[in-house]
């Protein structure tokens, strides 16, 4: 077992992108099972409509996580804005642990805040309003009681509306708010933050109240795999090639 902790986010797995699924499964079989832990920081799936969705893809992903855990690598999951309906049933099948939206972990002696990252994008008022509404427990309860066909139709509508919205929003609005980043890091008393969501992989050096800090952003898997490897010696953002179609 390597003294390495791995982080991934924003794979947006879907039947329409078998190349991403293949890259993910290869990563799970060849790398993740050698790590001390694997953290999935949201948007693993392009969309989730509930654990009762009959999906060969979901079953394949759950089996990959389960095998990883059985080989000694625990898997932890934080919901993203696309897969917040992933629930306890899927978690049990996958043998993974569901974490709250903001979590502080001990990363080789460094208290580190991990999250999906959408809560940092406070300049996008429309999205934040949508996020608050969709997290209402009673609304999720009602949604899960709709027929699967109806839920799939709603999901398609949300995806289409989201794509149209992104076309008209300026990139600055869709990125994190620096003040919110600092507020959250001060709130949780950390100098290290890891998140995804913005699809802009980078390691940002910060100064918070005169102390050095860092914000690490995970990349998406649209054109290449993106993995953050953390060891006691340091951190490294790495890329993985997708298989040729």
């Amino acid at each position: 077992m390597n003294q390495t902790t791995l982080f991934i986010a924003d794979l947006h797995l879907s039947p329409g992108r078998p190349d991403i699924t293949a890259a993910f499964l290869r990563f799970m079989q060849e790398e993740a099972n050698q790590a001390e832990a694997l953290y999935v920081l949201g948007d693993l799936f392009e969309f989730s409509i509930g654990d009762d969705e009959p999906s060969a893809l979901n079953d394949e992903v759950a089996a990959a996580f389960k095998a990883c855990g059985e080989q000694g690598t625990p898997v932890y999951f934080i919901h993203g804005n696309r897969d917040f309906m992933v629930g306890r049933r899927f978690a049990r099948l996958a043998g993974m642990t569901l974490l709250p939206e903001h979590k502080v972990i001990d990363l080789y002696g460094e208290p580190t805040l991990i999250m999906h990252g959408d809560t940092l994008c406070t300049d996008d008022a429309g999205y934040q309003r949508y996020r608050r509404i969709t997290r209402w427990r009673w609304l999720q309860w009602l949604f899960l009681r709709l027929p699967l066909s109806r839920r799939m139709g709603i999901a398609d509508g949300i995806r289409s509306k989201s794509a149209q919205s992104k076309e008209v929003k300026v990139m600055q609005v869709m990125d994190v708010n620096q003040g919110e980043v600092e507020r959250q890091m001060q709130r949780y008393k950390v100098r290290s933050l890891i998140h995804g969501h913005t699809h802009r992989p980078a390691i940002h050096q910060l100064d918070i109240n005169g102390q050095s800090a860092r914000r690490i952003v995970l990349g998406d898997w649209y054109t290449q795999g993106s993995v953050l490897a953390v060891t006691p010696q340091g951190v490294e953002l790495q890329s993985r090639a997708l298989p040729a179609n």
Side-chain angles (χ1 to χ4, degrees), residues 3 35 41-42 69 72 76 86 94 96-97 99 117 129 132 135 137 140 146 151 154 212-213 217 244:
Q3 201 171 12
L41 303 189
Y76 302 95
V86 168
M96 68 184 191
T97 301
L99 298 178
R129 183 168 55 251
R132 286 193 298 272
R135 296 312 190 276
R137 292 296 180 88
Q140 293 182 7
L146 294 174
R151 279 184 264 160
I154 293 173
S212 61
V217 188

Side-chain angles (χ1 to χ4, degrees), residues 42-175:
D43 284 3
L44 173 67
F45 295 108
E46 174 64 14
F47 213 88
S48 173
I49 61 172
D51 289 354
D52 60 338
E53 176 186 5
S55 168
L57 172 62
N58 290 9
D59 293 342
E60 198 170 23
V61 171
F65 284 146
K66 185 74 170 179
C68 188
E70 289 174 346
Q71 293 179 67
T73 301
V75 178
Y76 302 95
F77 180 86
I78 289 180
H79 293 99
N81 55 296
R82 295 298 188 106
D83 54 13
F84 59 87
M85 293 301 293
V86 168
R88 295 178 181 175
R89 177 180 170 188
F90 181 85
R92 284 195 301 270
L93 290 173
M96 68 184 191
T97 301
L98 297 177
L99 298 178
E101 63 180 23
H102 294 171
K103 176 70 175 178
V104 176
I105 62 173
D106 185 334
L107 200 53
Y108 304 112
E110 177 71 28
T112 301
L113 176 61
I114 61 174
M115 62 176 70
H116 178 55
D118 56 335
T119 56
L120 300 173
C121 301
T122 55
D123 293 332
D124 191 346
Y127 168 73
Q128 294 300 329
R129 183 168 55 251
Y130 161 82
R131 187 185 190 281
R132 286 193 298 272
I133 293 172
T134 56
R135 296 312 190 276
W136 290 344
R137 292 296 180 88
W138 65 267
L139 188 61
Q140 293 182 7
W141 184 88
L142 288 175
F143 179 77
L144 289 172
R145 276 145 188 83
L146 294 174
L148 276 169
S149 59
R150 177 63 176 149
R151 279 184 264 160
M152 289 178 180
I154 293 173
D156 288 340
I158 291 174
R159 278 195 294 265
S160 176
K161 197 167 185 179
S162 175
Q164 293 172 6
S165 176
K166 285 181 179 178
E167 291 179 359
V168 300
K169 288 179 181 177
V170 296
M171 294 304 291
Q172 289 86 347
V173 170
M174 297 170 63
D175 203 355

